[in-house]
Amino acid sequence: MPESADRVALEQSIEPLDPDGHSPSRIAYWKQALAGLPDQIRLPFDRPRAAHAGLNEGSVDCDIDAATYADLLGLTDDSGVNLFMLLHAGLAVLLCKLGAGTDIPLGSPITDCAGETTDDSFPFVVNMIVVRTNLSGNPSFRQLIGRVRGAVAGAFQHQDVAFNDLVDIFSPERSASYHPLFQVGIALHSRSNKTADSGGTARLPQQAGFRMPRLDLNFVFTERRDVDNGPLRLDGKVLFALDLFDRTTVESIALRLKYVLKALLLNQDQSIGQINLLSPQEQTRIVNDWNAQGQPVAVATLTQMFEQQAGKMRNAVALSFQGAVLTYGELNAQANQLARKLITGGIGPEQIVAIALPRSAVMVVAILAVLKSGAAYLPLDPDYPPDRLAFMIEDARPSLILAIKDVAERLPRQASLMLLDSATLSDELSGVESTNPDNSERLQPLEPLHPAYVIYTSGSTGAPKGVLIPHQNVIRLFGSTNQWFEFGPGDVWTLFHSYAFDFSVWELWGPLLHGGRLVVVPYSVSRSPVELLRLLVQEGVTVLNQTPSSFYQLIQSDRERPDLGQALQLRLVIFGGEALDPASLGDWYERHQGSPSLVNMYGITETTVHVTHLALSPDLFCARAGRPIGRCIPDLQAYVLDAYLQPVPVGIAGELYIGGSGLARGYLNRPGLTAERFVANPFGSPGSRL
């Protein structure tokens, strides 16, 4: 080829540079590699970020023992990757398992020395690169190592773009509280035991032209080799931001990195989701010791337990509403008559009867009657929006709706109606036998595992779902918590909440299963804290169940009306339904001198009202206490798991999974969603669920 042609070909092969001296292909690589990069990853901080990142760093050891180091080097020979890539892959897996997600960017220094050094100095850092690791799809170690190999190779091939220029090009959201593009770093250096010839002057990275950034976490490994370049050990340090982490937290992180690396060596074909970050002792404590089984409780239906109380407490007041009262005998008799009417109309177990009634004594009678017939009740709160009521009726397809005329006029005509304020029905019921119906009269025998009620979720996480709860779930709820509360005939409860909210199940059956008295709170009173306070005093209420937001309003009324507040006879206030801030209760506690007892209970509809229990003490009435939910009810199990159903270490965020005898049967008419949300329990007996 003529000389002029060679020159033209050479010139055509050279890319024009941008004003910063970078080729377009280099810029294009980084734009593609960092597209959609998270601004920051979630780490197990002990303290929230401040507006400005602190400058102080701590350091903990993360030494890799000689045997593991040798095995890692052996793996590099077999897998075609280097030690840095294996360490990078292990760290990415660890961060993923600690809750950082599946898109993990790590920063690594580029130095002016590609080989080893002979003293304890570090080579000069001249640049930082970003290596992004994709852990989506639960890959095996072998697959992940392949991904890391490609990401590392690409980043190093394009390392000549200065990090500051990279930040300018990518333009991430800038913050003075965290490092851009990555918050965790990893570096690997090599040292031999040859005699140093540098005069003993340590060349720290900070002395280089590029200042090493202060990161949230920075993992620095140093290979130690003998005079013949043979491997001795792998020293490790984790530098950490003192304003974010406690030393013990970072020591735990360093320890768990070793668990991950050993798991990598043990089986490259296992998925990253199978890796357990817990020691055997931690596994036993978290999975077993913290989920000790409670004592067995009675196996029965709600109707059996109520009828026992009605027989013993026949003349005692069971229910009061706006001055009118029903004794246990009267309440039971009225429910029996309506139940027999339902049975003769073809209502029985595994059917659903909707109840669309305002708060009243009749509402409680209707609930009992439906259960005595064997069917499950579906509460339809008349105050709910018409669209929500229509959705529930269409979705649940009840066999019958019990209502009063005023409410029935607002309901869609999608099921048969029985009007409880009908004069005709009243005449019919007056001639019906009022004794307890038994299984010989029902369409089929009523068993403890037959559904007792269907309550719909709020729909905050999608379309509302009907949750099917058996009789036995409610029985065991009170049996398993009796050790804390010792409910009895002397207790007076309020039915404060809508009966379409599952907290009402606790309020309704708390008194009726223990011979106590139930006060149905009129809707208008439930919306007036002062009127509620007055009712609590007038009725001598001893057990009050409240969402925190409602109780905060009651505290204000109690402060404004000390004459009423000091006349309260409460012995228990039980919180549920919302996150509780104990710090807001200190004023109440002081004014009432530690009485009543305050209890926080957390739960979800799918697990029969309550899951955990925490008796509140004065040391919790401060901001630093957070929002604790306590320990599991004894016949339930609670696990905080990662996305792969592996237990996470203490202090690491995860999803809360609940197992045990309180779980719902599932979602009504949604077997697919039930199978998706009620998963096999890897820690329980065969067939158990979470």
Side-chain angles (χ1 to χ4, degrees):
M1 182 180 295
E3 182 178 350
S4 59
D6 287 339
R7 184 179 298 111
V8 171
L10 178 61
E11 291 173 351
Q12 289 176 343
S13 69
I14 300 175
E15 287 186 285
L17 302 181
D18 68 9
D20 293 319
H22 303 308
S23 68
S25 62
R26 292 285 196 265
I27 303 303
Y29 167 81
W30 285 112
K31 285 185 175 180
Q32 180 178 5
L34 302 183
L37 189 76
D39 290 328
Q40 55 180 317
I41 59 175
R42 186 171 68 175
L43 296 172
F45 298 137
D46 294 298
R47 289 167 289 281
R49 292 189 187 277
H52 293 270
L55 299 177
N56 296 323
E57 282 186 326
S59 173
V60 302
D61 290 336
C62 188
D63 298 336
I64 307 300
D65 64 82
T68 302
Y69 175 40
D71 289 342
L72 287 169
L73 291 177
L75 184 56
T76 64
D77 296 333
D78 299 334
S79 59
V81 297
N82 58 35
L83 180 60
F84 174 79
M85 294 176 183
L86 293 180
L87 293 172
H88 185 109
L91 179 56
V93 169
L94 173 67
L95 295 176
C96 174
K97 300 284 286 184
L98 293 179
T102 58
D103 188 356
I104 308 293
L106 298 177
S108 292
I110 300 296
T111 68
D112 65 348
C113 179
E116 64 185 29
T117 62
T118 58
D119 57 14
D120 282 336
S121 65
F122 286 96
F124 289 153
V125 175
V126 297
N127 196 15
M128 296 290 292
I129 58 171
V130 186
V131 180
R132 188 178 187 181
T133 305
N134 172 18
L135 295 99
S136 63
N138 194 19
S140 67
F141 266 130
R142 195 180 304 278
Q143 293 169 324
L144 179 62
I145 289 170
R147 295 181 188 181
V148 170
R149 181 197 300 118
V152 170
F156 273 83
Q157 288 170 7
H158 300 84
Q159 63 177 275
D160 55 338
V161 178
F163 179 76
N164 289 337
D165 293 341
L166 195 59
V167 173
D168 291 338
I169 292 166
F170 189 66
S171 297
E173 181 177 337
R174 302 302 297 269
S175 171
S177 65
Y178 58 87
H179 191 267
L181 301 186
F182 60 85
Q183 294 83 48
V184 180
I186 182 170
L188 175 64
H189 304 294
S190 183
R191 299 283 179 272
S192 77
N193 281 344
K194 296 178 183 178
T195 303
D197 58 4
S198 62
T201 302
R203 298 183 298 162
L204 298 177
Q206 287 82 353
Q207 295 174 320
F210 184 95
R211 181 181 176 86
M212 279 286 286
R214 196 232 68 166
L215 302 174
D216 296 348
L217 294 170
N218 204 350
F219 293 75
V220 180
F221 296 96
T222 303
E223 291 186 275
R224 297 292 182 178
R225 296 177 176 272
D226 60 24
V227 294
D228 298 319
N229 205 35
L232 292 175
R233 66 182 190 275
L234 185 60
D235 293 344
K237 292 282 186 184
V238 185
L239 309 177
F240 63 95
L242 284 169
D243 57 326
L244 297 176
F245 294 100
D246 292 334
R247 175 175 295 274
T248 53
T249 299
V250 183
E251 288 174 340
S252 172
I253 292 172
L255 177 64
R256 299 185 200 286
L257 177 58
K258 300 174 190 179
Y259 292 166
V260 172
L261 293 176
K262 289 182 179 180
L264 183 156
L265 292 168
L266 186 65
N267 181 6
Q268 290 186 63
D269 292 315
Q270 71 173 323
S271 68
I272 63 174
Q274 294 175 291
I275 301 168
N276 191 343
L277 295 184
L278 304 180
S279 69
Q281 294 79 12
E282 288 177 306
Q283 180 85 8
T284 298
R285 183 170 74 253
I286 291 174
V287 173
N288 299 328
D289 297 348
W290 290 355
N291 288 295
Q293 296 293 315
Q295 296 298 316
V297 300
V299 177
T301 65
L302 287 167
T303 54
Q304 289 172 325
M305 299 296 284
F306 170 74
E307 287 165 3
Q308 288 179 14
Q309 291 297 333
K312 292 187 298 183
M313 309 288 295
R314 180 175 181 82
N315 295 318
V317 175
L319 174 68
S320 62
F321 176 69
Q322 293 184 326
V325 299
L326 287 176
T327 65
Y328 271 89
E330 293 167 337
L331 176 59
N332 192 43
Q334 290 184 24
N336 286 339
Q337 290 175 314
L338 181 56
R340 291 180 180 279
K341 176 69 175 177
L342 296 176
I343 292 170
T344 58
I347 299 298
E350 297 295 339
Q351 295 186 43
I352 295 172
V353 173
I355 300 175
L357 296 170
R359 301 178 189 219
S360 61
V362 174
M363 182 189 76
V364 179
V365 171
I367 291 173
L368 278 166
V370 171
L371 293 175
K372 284 171 173 282
S373 76
Y377 74 92
L378 167 64
L380 300 176
D381 190 326
D383 294 310
Y384 275 6
D387 289 348
R388 180 174 172 88
L389 294 175
F391 170 82
M392 290 191 289
I393 293 171
E394 181 179 2
D395 186 68
R397 300 191 292 275
S399 301
L400 180 67
I401 299 177
L402 303 182
I404 58 175
K405 183 178 180 181
D406 178 59
V407 175
E409 292 173 349
R410 293 178 273 142
L411 296 176
R413 295 293 188 268
Q414 294 173 318
S416 300
L417 278 169
M418 180 182 288
L419 298 180
L420 299 187
D421 57 351
S422 162
T424 301
L425 178 64
S426 179
D427 291 341
E428 292 176 357
L429 292 179
S430 64
V432 174
E433 176 65 45
S434 64
T435 57
N436 298 326
D438 59 29
N439 280 335
S440 66
E441 300 171 79
R442 297 187 180 103
L443 299 186
Q444 67 180 86
L446 174 60
E447 302 292 343
L449 293 182
H450 276 131
Y453 65 85
V454 178
I455 283 187
Y456 275 76
T457 61
S458 65
S460 59
T461 58
K465 302 173 286 290
V467 179
L468 208 58
I469 301 292
H471 284 249
Q472 181 60 29
N473 282 31
V474 183
I475 300 299
R476 46 71 35 196
L477 172 63
F478 287 99
S480 295
T481 58
N482 183 61
Q483 58 180 316
W484 298 316
F485 302 121
E486 297 182 339
F487 299 133
D491 281 320
V492 180
W493 295 57
T494 58
L495 182 57
F496 173 86
H497 299 92
S498 165
Y499 72 137
F501 175 29
D502 73 330
F503 208 176
S504 68
V505 173
W506 174 259
E507 294 182 292
L508 176 66
W509 297 108
L512 296 184
L513 296 184
H514 299 92
R517 177 160 62 91
L518 177 65
V519 179
V520 179
V521 179
Y523 180 81
S524 60
V525 174
S526 72
R527 293 299 180 268
S528 171
V530 173
E531 290 304 311
L532 175 62
L533 194 60
R534 183 175 288 108
L535 180 143
L536 297 178
V537 172
Q538 290 174 346
E539 296 286 353
V541 172
T542 63
V543 180
L544 177 64
N545 302 277
Q546 290 276 274
T547 59
S549 57
S550 295
F551 194 72
Y552 299 154
Q553 297 178 49
L554 193 65
I555 288 177
Q556 181 61 34
S557 295
D558 175 83
R559 188 181 296 116
E560 296 170 354
R561 291 294 307 273
D563 57 319
L564 291 174
Q566 293 305 313
L568 288 169
Q569 301 178 48
L570 295 172
R571 75 176 185 92
L572 277 169
V573 176
I574 300 170
F575 300 104
E578 298 169 356
L580 173 69
D581 178 13
S584 64
L585 303 178
D587 179 48
W588 162 277
Y589 193 84
E590 289 181 7
R591 282 203 312 277
H592 291 270
Q593 300 178 338
S595 179
S597 298
L598 306 178
V599 176
N600 189 29
M601 300 189 80
Y602 163 83
I604 50 178
T605 306
E606 291 86 343
T607 57
T608 316
V609 190
H610 297 309
V611 170
T612 65
H613 168 275
L614 178 66
L616 300 177
S617 54
D619 60 307
L620 293 174
F621 301 144
C622 59
R624 67 177 181 274
R627 300 193 174 190
I629 63 171
R631 297 284 294 272
C632 246
I633 290 172
D635 66 344
L636 298 178
Q637 299 88 50
Y639 310 98
V640 181
L641 308 180
D642 64 18
Y644 311 105
L645 298 187
Q646 291 285 348
V648 299
V650 173
I652 304 302
E655 294 289 339
L656 180 60
Y657 285 76
I658 307 301
S661 55
L663 267 61
R665 280 184 27 172
Y667 295 117
L668 179 66
N669 300 327
R670 299 191 183 187
L673 185 61
T674 298
E676 175 186 329
R677 294 295 301 276
F678 290 79
V679 299
N681 182 355
F683 317 108
S685 58
S688 61
R689 304 173 301 156
L690 297 176

